[in-house]
Every structure is written in C-alpha cells, then in structure tokens.
Amino acid sequence: MDSKLPVFIKTIVVCLLAYALPMAQAIAAPNLQLNPTGITAVQNNNFQEKIMINVDTNNVLSSDAIVNYAGADLDVVSVTNGGFFPQFSFSNDPSGILEIHGYTTANNSTITGMGTLATIVFKAKKSEGSST
C-alpha cells in the first residue's frame, strides 16, 4: 500500500496543475485571397479578379491589400468596393502597384466573418505569354 501512495500523489498534482494553468486559445489569422487564382485572358479584353477576405472571428475595423501586377502586361480598368467594409478607397500606380483600403468609421462597430474586399477589372495588354 505504501508504494501506491507516491504514485497517487503525483497523479493528483499533475491533474491539479493541468486545471490550474490557463489554456492558450488558437486564433485564426485573417487572410486575403484572389478569386480566381488563375485566368486566361485575351489581349485587349477585360477580366475580373475578386479579393476575398476572411477575418474569421477576429473583430476588425479595416484591412489593406497591396496588389503587385505587371504594369506592362495589364491595365487596371476599375476597382470597386466588394461590400465587406462600408467605406473603401484605392490608389493605383500604373507601373504595377494597386493599394486597396477597406474600413468602417462607425463608432464601436467591428466586423467579423468573410466576404469580398474589392473587385478589380483588368485589361490584358499582352498578345501572348504569361504574367504574375
């Protein structure tokens, strides 16, 4: 009986420590994705890309996206709010840098979930080849 007592005491201590120490909660990281991820475009024709946002259960007030594209291959025809954030702005450098900003200015109003940050319409300038 004496040999079981140290094992029993160790088991009780381990159980108490397991309940006493706080557990870390895993939080999903917000992310942005292009939809579609690849497209075949014809020269002088337009095509559309959506920037999808997923902030999961995180409370956010804004998000920024910087889209680097080949300015020699593509023109930005339009950029429109995808509706995830009520306010929206963008800035385009035709050499290939598009900055998109979605945000809310409502007091104490955070946003969660997933949706579309912006929709971009590009025009293909190249007759053949590929572009990233």
Side-chain angles (χ1 to χ4, degrees):
M1 180 129 178
D2 290 333
S3 65
K4 292 182 183 178
L5 186 59
V7 172
F8 179 72
I9 291 172
K10 286 180 186 176
T11 303
I12 295 294
V13 169
V14 169
C15 289
L16 289 174
L17 285 174
Y19 287 107
L21 298 175
M23 301 292 278
Q25 185 179 24
I27 297 175
N31 64 70
L32 299 171
Q33 296 178 336
L34 291 175
N35 182 15
T37 55
I39 192 164
T40 300
V42 178
Q43 184 180 20
N44 296 322
N45 285 350
N46 295 348
F47 65 94
Q48 179 176 289
E49 280 287 335
K50 290 185 178 185
I51 298 181
M52 308 302 294
I53 183 170
N54 184 355
V55 298
D56 200 30
T57 58
N58 295 296
N59 294 314
V60 297
L61 295 170
S62 66
S63 180
D64 299 321
I66 297 176
V67 179
N68 293 310
Y69 64 95
D73 301 343
L74 303 169
D75 280 331
V76 173
V77 175
S78 67
V79 182
T80 56
N81 188 349
F84 187 76
F85 290 102
Q87 283 83 29
F88 172 82
S89 67
F90 72 93
S91 172
N92 181 42
D93 177 351
S95 69
I97 300 172
L98 174 64
E99 293 183 24
I100 298 169
H101 312 283
Y103 54 96
T104 180
T105 56
N107 290 337
N108 300 323
S109 176
T110 58
I111 299 172
T112 61
M114 56 191 251
T116 304
L117 177 64
T119 301
I120 309 165
V121 175
F122 288 102
K123 181 177 183 177
K125 297 191 313 189
K126 257 176 125 171
S127 61
E128 60 183 34
S130 63
S131 183
T132 302

